[in-house]
Amino acid sequence: MLQRHKAQLRHHARLNDGIQLAHWFNSGDRVTNLSNHHTLSLYIADGYDTWHKTPYGWRNGGGPDRFCLMPSGIESTWDLRSDLSFAHLYCTEAHLRQMAEEIWDRSPAQLELHEKVFASDDRITQLYRHFLLSCDWQQPASQLMLSSASTLLLTHLLQHYSDVQWRAPQVRGGLSPAVLRHLTDFIEAHLDQPLTLAQLSQQAALSEFHFARMFRHSVGEAPHQYVMRRRMLRAKEMLADASLSLTTIALSCGFYSSSHFSNRFRQINGMSPSAWRSSQRATSSRQRE
């Protein structure tokens, strides 16, 4: 719908079933939205001159970190009179209901999200800014972080912006030793693939909500943090072999190009893979002397 107007799609990612992400830019446009899916929109930059049509006239209230929640089947009209950069999280009704059933182990008689316009929520801003917008959406190694953050966002919507009034269930204890061993073996065998929270939770036969919390309890870090740490450790082991190219190492560690691998390696280790490889060679030479 947006692409039929003036909106420019800058980035797009399809995550686990029923969830998609899109980063948009638009300006000088009037758009009417009526979708068969839920949309959570966060204003990334600008948006101060964005107006929403209400029964009482046009209302203005946009700006960075404002969010809009547009439930499925509810029509809304927007007048963008200047620049706006925004990110959308799309979710189907079926996926949201399935998530609610998995979290609370019961089916809500009615599940309706509340429409929100130009609202503020520090938790939504944090999850967008620190997770969804902080990584390359096209990079396979980013899929676990994206899917984890998306699950947290949708759980937050269910708890705070829906008719479901149930408290989030308490998760006590971690994964059993056998499940944890199976899971870590599975991760090691698939570090070259774009792992998602749905895949890992299936290995543990748990919902994504319960799995993420039980994994953190057992390991001391979130699944996406653990997997990235394992990717970096494998990369360092492979860098010790001078015959392996950076491209080969990148692909083996779940990155689709050497440049994306190098950028992520530098962010975590403070130096490029090539510099790290050289420093290790120098250290080995001094030790031999």
Side-chain angles (χ1 to χ4, degrees):
M1 181 274 297
L2 284 173
Q3 287 182 310
R4 292 198 298 268
H5 292 263
K6 297 180 180 178
Q8 303 170 22
L9 180 61
R10 293 186 166 172
H11 305 290
H12 174 261
R14 186 184 299 273
L15 305 180
N16 36 318
D17 294 342
I19 299 180
Q20 296 187 55
L21 296 171
H23 180 184
W24 297 94
F25 173 83
N26 203 355
S27 184
D29 200 4
R30 182 171 292 190
V31 177
T32 296
N33 177 71
L34 178 60
S35 302
N36 61 356
H37 55 258
H38 306 302
T39 303
L40 176 63
S41 174
L42 182 79
Y43 288 14
I44 300 172
D46 302 313
Y48 300 105
D49 206 10
T50 298
W51 297 75
H52 175 247
K53 189 176 182 179
T54 76
Y56 312 101
W58 291 93
R59 177 195 169 206
N60 170 252
D65 294 334
R66 296 287 180 171
F67 82 89
C68 300
L69 177 56
M70 294 167 278
S72 170
I74 295 181
E75 183 175 284
S76 57
T77 300
W78 310 82
D79 191 3
L80 288 72
R81 303 177 187 177
S82 62
D83 293 354
L84 171 62
S85 177
F86 55 104
H88 277 177
L89 170 67
Y90 304 116
C91 174
T92 64
E93 175 71 17
H95 184 89
L96 193 67
R97 179 171 288 277
Q98 178 185 348
M99 177 175 289
E101 292 174 353
E102 289 178 348
I103 292 173
W104 285 279
D105 196 26
R106 52 179 168 166
S107 179
Q110 186 175 8
L111 179 57
E112 291 187 8
L113 293 180
H114 304 152
E115 183 181 24
K116 293 292 178 180
V117 177
F118 304 139
S120 296
D121 188 312
D122 291 341
R123 180 58 170 164
I124 290 176
T125 297
Q126 178 198 36
L127 290 170
Y128 263 102
R129 294 282 184 184
H130 292 242
F131 296 97
L132 296 184
L133 300 175
S134 66
C135 59
D136 185 339
W137 292 0
Q138 304 309 313
Q139 188 180 122
S142 299
Q143 295 305 296
L144 183 54
M145 181 186 291
L146 293 175
S147 62
S148 298
S150 297
T151 295
L152 290 173
L153 274 169
L154 293 176
T155 303
H156 185 76
L157 294 185
L158 284 168
Q159 290 180 262
H160 298 279
Y161 301 103
S162 79
D163 291 335
V164 176
Q165 297 298 314
W166 306 329
R167 290 185 178 183
Q170 296 296 315
V171 178
R172 297 182 176 88
L175 302 170
S176 70
V179 170
L180 184 58
R181 184 166 55 252
H182 167 73
L183 192 63
T184 53
D185 288 345
F186 178 84
I187 290 171
E188 291 299 319
H190 296 84
L191 285 177
D192 61 332
Q193 299 179 24
L195 295 168
T196 65
L197 192 63
Q199 287 176 306
L200 297 184
S201 63
Q202 288 170 5
Q203 294 299 312
L206 293 166
S207 72
E208 296 176 27
F209 176 88
H210 288 85
F211 166 74
R213 283 153 181 76
M214 293 174 72
F215 185 93
R216 181 185 283 276
H217 187 277
S218 297
V219 180
E221 55 189 343
H224 72 270
Q225 294 172 320
Y226 174 84
V227 171
M228 183 55 68
R229 181 166 61 82
R230 297 306 306 171
R231 292 188 200 276
M232 289 296 109
L233 286 173
R234 173 174 290 186
K236 289 179 178 179
E237 292 172 357
M238 297 182 73
L239 283 168
D241 186 344
S243 67
L244 296 176
S245 68
L246 292 185
T247 299
T248 297
I249 296 173
L251 294 175
S252 298
C253 297
F255 299 88
Y256 75 89
S257 73
S258 58
S259 61
H260 287 95
F261 164 60
S262 296
N263 291 336
R264 190 67 173 138
F265 191 96
R266 186 183 293 106
Q267 290 174 358
I268 294 175
N269 299 287
M271 64 178 72
S272 69
S274 299
W276 191 90
R277 174 179 265 174
S278 297
S279 69
Q280 295 303 301
R281 288 176 182 171
T283 300
S284 297
S285 297
R286 287 194 297 270
Q287 290 175 345
R288 286 194 296 271
E289 293 174 358

Short mmCIF file of all heavy atoms in Angstrom, two decimals, residues 12 34 46 58 63 65 95 109 127 132 137 151 169 201 225 235 243 268 282:
data_model
loop_
_atom_site.label_atom_id
_atom_site.label_comp_id
_atom_site.label_asym_id
_atom_site.label_seq_id
_atom_site.Cartn_x
_atom_site.Cartn_y
_atom_site.Cartn_z
N HIS A 12 14.05 -4.15 4.32
CA HIS A 12 12.94 -5.06 4.56
C HIS A 12 13.49 -6.39 5.04
O HIS A 12 14.56 -6.82 4.62
CB HIS A 12 12.12 -5.26 3.28
CG HIS A 12 11.05 -6.30 3.40
ND1 HIS A 12 11.20 -7.60 2.95
CD2 HIS A 12 9.82 -6.24 3.96
CE1 HIS A 12 10.11 -8.28 3.20
NE2 HIS A 12 9.25 -7.49 3.81
N LEU A 34 -5.50 0.65 5.67
CA LEU A 34 -6.49 -0.35 6.09
C LEU A 34 -5.91 -1.70 5.73
O LEU A 34 -5.88 -2.09 4.57
CB LEU A 34 -7.83 -0.13 5.39
CG LEU A 34 -8.93 -1.15 5.72
CD1 LEU A 34 -9.24 -1.13 7.22
CD2 LEU A 34 -10.19 -0.88 4.92
N ASP A 46 12.55 12.81 12.40
CA ASP A 46 11.61 13.81 11.90
C ASP A 46 10.18 13.42 12.26
O ASP A 46 9.95 12.86 13.31
CB ASP A 46 11.78 14.01 10.39
CG ASP A 46 13.19 14.43 10.03
OD1 ASP A 46 13.72 15.34 10.69
OD2 ASP A 46 13.77 13.85 9.09
N TRP A 58 -7.91 17.21 12.04
CA TRP A 58 -6.54 16.71 11.95
C TRP A 58 -5.80 16.97 13.25
O TRP A 58 -5.90 18.05 13.83
CB TRP A 58 -5.81 17.37 10.79
CG TRP A 58 -6.35 16.94 9.45
CD1 TRP A 58 -7.31 17.56 8.71
CD2 TRP A 58 -5.95 15.78 8.71
NE1 TRP A 58 -7.55 16.87 7.55
CE2 TRP A 58 -6.73 15.76 7.52
CE3 TRP A 58 -5.04 14.75 8.92
CZ2 TRP A 58 -6.61 14.77 6.56
CZ3 TRP A 58 -4.92 13.76 7.97
CH2 TRP A 58 -5.69 13.77 6.81
N GLY A 63 7.02 12.78 15.98
CA GLY A 63 8.39 13.12 16.35
C GLY A 63 9.17 11.86 16.64
O GLY A 63 8.58 10.78 16.78
N ASP A 65 10.80 8.68 18.13
CA ASP A 65 10.45 7.76 19.20
C ASP A 65 8.96 7.75 19.56
O ASP A 65 8.57 7.05 20.49
CB ASP A 65 11.28 8.02 20.47
CG ASP A 65 12.75 7.74 20.25
OD1 ASP A 65 13.07 6.91 19.37
OD2 ASP A 65 13.60 8.33 20.94
N HIS A 95 -0.68 -15.17 14.04
CA HIS A 95 0.59 -15.29 14.77
C HIS A 95 0.45 -14.71 16.17
O HIS A 95 0.95 -15.29 17.15
CB HIS A 95 1.71 -14.59 14.02
CG HIS A 95 3.05 -14.77 14.67
ND1 HIS A 95 3.89 -15.83 14.38
CD2 HIS A 95 3.69 -14.05 15.63
CE1 HIS A 95 4.98 -15.75 15.11
NE2 HIS A 95 4.88 -14.68 15.88
N ALA A 109 -10.53 -15.51 24.75
CA ALA A 109 -11.83 -15.51 24.07
C ALA A 109 -11.88 -14.41 23.02
O ALA A 109 -12.48 -14.56 21.95
CB ALA A 109 -12.94 -15.31 25.10
N LEU A 127 13.52 -1.43 22.44
CA LEU A 127 13.61 -2.63 21.61
C LEU A 127 13.85 -2.29 20.15
O LEU A 127 14.61 -2.98 19.46
CB LEU A 127 12.34 -3.47 21.76
CG LEU A 127 12.18 -4.16 23.13
CD1 LEU A 127 10.79 -4.76 23.27
CD2 LEU A 127 13.24 -5.24 23.30
N LEU A 132 16.35 -3.80 16.87
CA LEU A 132 15.89 -3.87 15.48
C LEU A 132 16.67 -2.92 14.58
O LEU A 132 16.95 -3.26 13.42
CB LEU A 132 14.40 -3.54 15.40
CG LEU A 132 13.45 -4.52 16.10
CD1 LEU A 132 12.01 -4.12 15.85
CD2 LEU A 132 13.68 -5.95 15.65
N TRP A 137 19.71 -5.88 8.63
CA TRP A 137 18.59 -6.81 8.52
C TRP A 137 18.85 -7.93 7.52
O TRP A 137 18.24 -8.99 7.60
CB TRP A 137 17.31 -6.07 8.12
CG TRP A 137 16.80 -5.16 9.18
CD1 TRP A 137 17.34 -4.93 10.42
CD2 TRP A 137 15.61 -4.35 9.12
NE1 TRP A 137 16.58 -4.03 11.12
CE2 TRP A 137 15.51 -3.66 10.35
CE3 TRP A 137 14.64 -4.15 8.14
CZ2 TRP A 137 14.47 -2.78 10.62
CZ3 TRP A 137 13.60 -3.28 8.42
CH2 TRP A 137 13.52 -2.60 9.64
N THR A 151 9.72 -10.80 19.13
CA THR A 151 8.92 -11.55 20.10
C THR A 151 8.69 -10.74 21.37
O THR A 151 7.59 -10.71 21.92
CB THR A 151 9.62 -12.88 20.45
OG1 THR A 151 9.67 -13.71 19.28
CG2 THR A 151 8.87 -13.61 21.55
N PRO A 169 3.33 -14.93 32.75
CA PRO A 169 3.64 -16.06 33.64
C PRO A 169 5.08 -15.99 34.15
O PRO A 169 5.98 -15.54 33.44
CB PRO A 169 3.43 -17.28 32.74
CG PRO A 169 3.60 -16.77 31.35
CD PRO A 169 3.10 -15.36 31.36
N SER A 201 13.70 -22.45 19.97
CA SER A 201 12.66 -22.85 20.92
C SER A 201 12.04 -24.19 20.53
O SER A 201 11.66 -24.99 21.40
CB SER A 201 11.58 -21.77 21.00
OG SER A 201 10.93 -21.59 19.76
N GLN A 225 22.78 -13.30 22.27
CA GLN A 225 24.12 -12.97 22.77
C GLN A 225 25.01 -14.21 22.78
O GLN A 225 26.18 -14.14 22.41
CB GLN A 225 24.01 -12.38 24.18
CG GLN A 225 23.30 -11.04 24.24
CD GLN A 225 23.04 -10.59 25.67
OE1 GLN A 225 22.68 -11.40 26.54
NE2 GLN A 225 23.20 -9.31 25.93
N ALA A 235 35.10 -17.84 14.72
CA ALA A 235 35.85 -16.99 13.79
C ALA A 235 37.30 -16.86 14.22
O ALA A 235 38.22 -16.96 13.40
CB ALA A 235 35.19 -15.61 13.71
N SER A 243 45.52 -20.14 5.97
CA SER A 243 45.08 -20.56 4.64
C SER A 243 43.61 -20.22 4.37
O SER A 243 43.14 -20.30 3.23
CB SER A 243 45.30 -22.06 4.46
OG SER A 243 44.44 -22.80 5.32
N ILE A 268 32.73 -5.83 18.08
CA ILE A 268 32.82 -6.65 19.29
C ILE A 268 34.23 -6.70 19.85
O ILE A 268 34.44 -6.66 21.07
CB ILE A 268 32.31 -8.08 19.00
CG1 ILE A 268 30.81 -8.04 18.68
CG2 ILE A 268 32.59 -9.02 20.17
CD1 ILE A 268 30.23 -9.37 18.25
N ALA A 282 51.90 -12.13 15.62
CA ALA A 282 53.00 -11.44 16.29
C ALA A 282 53.20 -12.00 17.69
O ALA A 282 54.34 -12.20 18.14
CB ALA A 282 52.71 -9.94 16.35
#
